Structure formats: structure tokens, C-alpha cells
């Protein structure tokens, strides 16, 4: 894909596949049955790739909280159309990445407080170093070296570029 906002390649398609496999192995080792809650829209691609590699029982649901990537103080409404009971269940919230972590922290605290899962974990392809402290287990494949703005594989720029099959640095 050609786009003036796509810069230096950070994760190619093979690295994404390898990272997805790594996270799936972590989940397969730790759980026998889970409810995965995909953060939409950003987590859709990683969720789809990840759950196909899980060898355990999986139920799926979605949650959203519109935000600007990198916004540590996201106060937008959390929308969770609960289709599956999660009280007393092992729950994994899946997103493409933890950037600042502010939104993810709000989501897992919300689920933990309102729905009492047995366990609550987070699965992402990668995390960034400047993220806020989130007091829940995080399963991820890569830790980025810096906090560069990234796009592709679910990560948007101005609500575009989510469909790029790799992750690259953003060129503004």
C-alpha cells in the first residue's frame, strides 16, 4: 500500500505472525478455557489471528472506548454489549497494542469492577515503553524501543490505515 503517512517498517507480516504465535502459546499454556473480549475496532485483526491459534475453548465478545491513540486521559464512554457472562471466568482483553495504556487501564478496571471475572489478563501484539502501569497480567510478543507513533495492523492515523498488513512508523 502506498500512503505518504507510512514510514519506516517496524513489524513485517512474518514478524506479526511469529508474535501472534508467541502470544497464543502463552495463552495455551496458562488457560483451558477463556472469554476473549476484543477491543474494537483496533483489536479486530490481532484478535482474529490470535484466536485461530488457540487450542483451548474460546468464547468471544467485544468492547470499545473511542480514543485518540496515545491519549493517556481518555474519558470517552466505554461500550460493552455483554453477550457472554464473564463473572467467575478467565477473561483476556485483546487489542493490537498498548501505547500509552490509559484506555486499556480504564477498560480492565471497568470489567474487573463491574463483572467480577475469575482472572483478567491483557493480550497484545506489542507494548510501548512509556505506558502507564496496569495492574493486570500482560501477554505480548514485542516491547517497542520507543514511543514512536505507529500505524497499520489495526493502528489508525485519522481513522485510516488500519488495514495495512504490517506496522510502520507514522510520517505526519
Amino acid at each position: 500500500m502506498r500512503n505518504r503517512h507510512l514510514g519506516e517498517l517496524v513489524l513485517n507480516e512474518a514478524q506479526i505472525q511469529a508474535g501472534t504465535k508467541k502470544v497464543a502459546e502463552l495463552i495455551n499454556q496458562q488457560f483451558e478455557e477463556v472469554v476473549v473480549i476484543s477491543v474494537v475496532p483496533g483489536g479486530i485483526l490481532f484478535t482474529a489471528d490470535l484466536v485461530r491459534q488457540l487450542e483451548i475453548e474460546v468464547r468471544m465478545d467485544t468492547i470499545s472506548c473511542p480514543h485518540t491513540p496515545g491519549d493517556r486521559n481518555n474519558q470517552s464512554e466505554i461500550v460493552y454489549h455483554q453477550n457472554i457472562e464473564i463473572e467467575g471466568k478467565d477473561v483476556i482483553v485483546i487489542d493490537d497494542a498498548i501505547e500509552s495504556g490509559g484506555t486499556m487501564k480504564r477498560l480492565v478496571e471497568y470489567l474487573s469492577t463491574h463483572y467480577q471475572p475469575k482472572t483478567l489478563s491483557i493480550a497484545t501484539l506489542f507494548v510501548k515503553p512509556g505506558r502507564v502501569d496496569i495492574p493486570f497480567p500482560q501477554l505480548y510478543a514485542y516491547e517497542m524501543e520507543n514511543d514512536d507513533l505507529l500505524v497499520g495492523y489495526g493502528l489508525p492515523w485519522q481513522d485510516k490505515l488500519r488495514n495495512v498488513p504490517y506496522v510502520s512508523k507514522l510520517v505526519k
Side-chain angles (χ1 to χ4, degrees):
M1 172 179 274
R2 289 187 197 165
N3 185 295
R4 63 184 174 91
H5 295 294
L6 294 173
E8 180 185 335
L9 182 68
V10 175
L11 294 173
N12 63 35
E13 292 177 65
Q15 289 170 307
I16 289 170
Q17 290 174 1
T20 303
K21 183 177 181 182
K22 178 180 177 180
V23 175
E25 288 171 354
L26 293 171
I27 293 170
N28 286 329
Q29 291 167 7
Q30 293 180 39
F31 300 97
E32 293 181 15
E33 182 176 333
V34 295
V35 176
V36 300
I37 301 177
S38 182
V39 179
V40 295
I44 290 172
L45 298 175
F46 183 59
T47 301
D49 290 344
L50 181 64
V51 298
R52 288 185 295 216
Q53 295 196 33
L54 296 179
E55 298 167 352
I56 59 174
E57 293 293 326
V58 176
R59 293 179 173 182
M60 297 176 65
D61 224 332
T62 60
I63 194 167
S64 67
C65 185
H67 70 287
T68 302
D71 179 5
R72 292 178 180 267
N73 299 305
N74 177 12
Q75 295 302 313
S76 63
E77 179 185 8
I78 293 173
V79 180
Y80 177 42
H81 297 289
Q82 184 183 21
N83 294 304
I84 298 167
E85 180 61 49
I86 65 170
E87 183 175 341
K89 305 275 196 274
D90 291 317
V91 174
I92 302 175
V93 178
I94 302 176
D95 204 355
D96 45 13
I98 295 179
E99 296 186 273
S100 70
T103 298
M104 180 59 77
K105 185 174 183 176
R106 282 188 64 221
L107 293 175
V108 291
E109 287 176 347
Y110 173 84
L111 291 169
S112 178
T113 301
H114 292 88
Y115 297 94
Q116 292 78 46
K118 176 180 167 188
T119 66
L120 187 60
S121 304
I122 299 164
T124 60
L125 180 61
F126 66 86
V127 297
K128 288 187 171 181
R131 65 194 182 281
V132 299
D133 182 45
I134 303 173
F136 293 89
Q138 297 174 39
L139 309 168
Y140 56 87
Y142 303 107
E143 185 163 2
M144 295 293 129
E145 294 178 8
N146 56 54
D147 283 321
D148 288 336
L149 283 174
L150 303 175
V151 294
Y153 197 67
L155 297 163
W157 173 248
Q158 299 175 338
D159 291 318
K160 298 176 186 172
L161 301 176
R162 289 186 193 275
N163 62 314
V164 174
Y166 52 84
V167 177
S168 75
K169 290 183 181 180
L170 172 70
V171 176
K172 288 187 180 180

